[in-house]
Amino acid sequence: MPFDRIPVIDLADIKSSDTNLRHALAKQVRNACINVGFFYVKNHGISEDVISETVNMSAQFFNLPSESKMKVDNKQTTNFKGYAPLRDRNKNGKRSGRLHEAFQFGWEVIEKETEEVRGEEMDGVMTGANIWPTDVPNFREAMLRYYHAGVQLGKLLLPIFALALELPEDYFADKTRNSAAMMSILHYPPQTGDDIDDPFIGIGSHTDFECFTILWQQPGLQALQVLNSDDKWIDVPPREGTLVINIGDQLARWTNDVFKSTVHRALNYKGVRRYSIPLFFGTDYNVKLEPIPTCVSSTRPPKYDVVTAGEHVKSKLQALYGKKSQ
């Protein structure tokens, strides 16, 4: 049946010692992942102070002159980290772009003096240092505080996803020792009009490409929509105290399409600025995306070639931003 709403799931029991409560939560997650591919979560554990600080720093960064932001242009890197200006991304193979600007980064410890050994699996195709602007004081620290809170939430969700797939709760533990999460802050400039076929809409129809996305949306501003099986666009309005979780291509591929990576878009036609914060949570980059055992059978044979998570992510980013030299 086509869905007409996005479920809300309470994570209050995610750390419960009661197995029955965790299984009940996993059942809700399974239903959402199979039937919708999107769900809200409340009691998610990321504090409002951390969110507010990140949004404030995002606004300060995007308000900088273009020449300041271009000092950290992501074309300087081979791992797609840094700033992506307006209309910088590909759409259907053309450089028509999308009407938002972004800043993207990955794992880094907050305290620069702290050394952390991440292991040989961090030598994959998508690893490498972040680049940071110097024009906004404390920008790096604020971004990383949210990033680490989001990664912690992602790791709390993994045992629930495992139960939802009828696997042991620790199934993903050895595959996510080193966070492969990428985080973006996004700014959509004011836009008006009714033409949803405008090639410069906020973000056109797409799916995400890591395991799952943890998304903060600006309160009071409807923009996000998801496409159901009747090709009907369903609004995903911001809900107070919630984040949005959606399944990405990596987990859909890993689950042999048992879990849905659902097409979605963002239309910012309210005539005001919009900010959002997606954190794309994935596995270690060296993990082979072989079909999960509970998702393969004689009637559901494997659908995809086996690739590493890092190769999968890099190929998707190359398609999005254009091939970069190594």
Side-chain angles (χ1 to χ4, degrees):
M1 293 291 292
F3 61 87
D4 59 7
R5 63 183 181 86
I6 309 302
V8 180
I9 298 178
D10 191 340
L11 299 184
D13 294 326
I14 198 167
K15 296 181 183 179
S16 175
S17 59
D18 187 330
T19 303
N20 292 329
L21 291 177
R22 296 199 307 277
H23 276 274
L25 176 58
K27 184 177 180 180
Q28 294 181 65
V29 169
R30 179 180 176 86
N31 289 338
C33 293
I34 289 175
N35 297 313
V36 184
F38 271 74
F39 55 96
Y40 295 97
V41 291
K42 60 182 182 179
N43 290 314
H44 50 72
I46 301 181
S47 77
E48 287 300 319
D49 287 345
V50 167
I51 292 172
S52 295
E53 179 185 41
T54 307
V55 175
N56 177 52
M57 290 291 177
S58 299
Q60 290 186 49
F61 172 74
F62 290 121
N63 282 334
L64 290 173
S66 178
E67 56 268 25
S68 295
K69 291 181 285 190
M70 291 303 292
K71 292 176 183 177
V72 288
D73 180 14
N74 68 2
K75 293 181 180 62
Q76 300 178 35
T77 72
T78 58
N79 57 14
F80 304 91
K81 295 173 182 176
Y83 174 64
L86 293 172
R87 300 177 174 88
D88 186 52
R89 301 182 181 195
N90 287 330
K91 181 182 178 182
N92 299 326
K94 300 178 181 179
R95 300 294 295 181
S96 57
R98 302 170 178 192
L99 197 60
H100 71 268
E101 53 185 336
F103 181 84
Q104 183 159 276
F105 57 96
W107 174 272
E108 186 176 316
V109 294
I110 298 176
E111 298 298 331
K112 291 183 179 180
E113 299 81 10
T114 303
E115 293 185 1
E116 182 164 321
V117 178
R118 299 279 286 168
E120 63 181 10
E121 56 265 45
M122 292 304 292
D123 295 333
V125 296
M126 271 299 296
T127 56
N130 296 312
I131 56 175
W132 299 102
T134 57
D135 305 76
V136 180
N138 302 314
F139 178 85
R140 171 188 170 277
E141 290 78 10
M143 293 299 117
L144 289 174
R145 274 189 284 273
Y146 185 104
Y147 177 92
H148 284 277
V151 168
Q152 180 60 31
L153 172 59
K155 291 193 172 184
L156 284 174
L157 285 167
L158 288 173
I160 300 301
F161 279 117
L163 290 177
L165 291 164
E166 301 175 330
L167 299 164
E169 286 184 87
D170 63 353
Y171 180 83
F172 294 109
D174 64 345
K175 303 166 185 64
T176 52
R177 289 193 177 114
N178 297 318
S179 171
M182 294 284 282
M183 177 171 149
S184 292
I185 53 172
L186 305 180
H187 168 236
Y188 303 76
Q191 185 179 13
T192 59
D194 298 318
D195 182 8
I196 62 173
D197 294 321
D198 182 344
F200 295 121
I201 64 175
I203 295 182
S205 305
H206 69 286
T207 56
D208 294 342
F209 40 79
E210 297 227 32
C211 276
F212 54 91
T213 303
I214 301 169
L215 174 69
W216 174 87
Q217 302 187 82
Q218 184 170 329
L221 187 56
Q222 164 57 39
L224 179 62
Q225 295 181 320
V226 302
L227 190 66
N228 71 11
S229 57
D230 275 350
D231 288 333
K232 179 182 178 182
W233 288 103
I234 306 300
D235 287 347
V236 189
R239 290 179 177 269
E240 184 178 358
T242 71
L243 300 171
V244 174
I245 308 293
N246 68 274
I247 301 305
D249 298 342
Q250 184 177 326
L251 191 53
R253 184 181 188 125
W254 215 359
T255 63
N256 208 29
D257 285 339
V258 171
F259 282 3
K260 293 177 64 173
S261 181
T262 305
V263 173
H264 52 288
R265 68 185 184 186
L267 307 179
N268 185 36
Y269 285 135
K270 305 299 184 182
V272 298
R273 296 180 184 275
R274 177 179 183 258
Y275 298 95
S276 68
I277 309 170
L279 186 143
F280 307 100
F281 192 94
T283 70
D284 297 345
Y285 286 135
N286 70 336
V287 170
K288 291 184 178 179
L289 300 179
E290 299 172 312
I292 288 172
T294 57
C295 300
V296 180
S297 68
S298 58
T299 59
R300 194 182 189 94
K303 296 183 177 183
Y304 300 101
D305 294 334
V306 176
V307 297
T308 67
E311 291 166 342
H312 169 78
V313 171
K314 187 167 189 177
S315 69
K316 294 287 187 176
L317 285 168
Q318 284 175 331
L320 185 64
Y321 288 107
K323 184 175 177 59
K324 300 192 176 197
S325 60
Q326 299 300 309

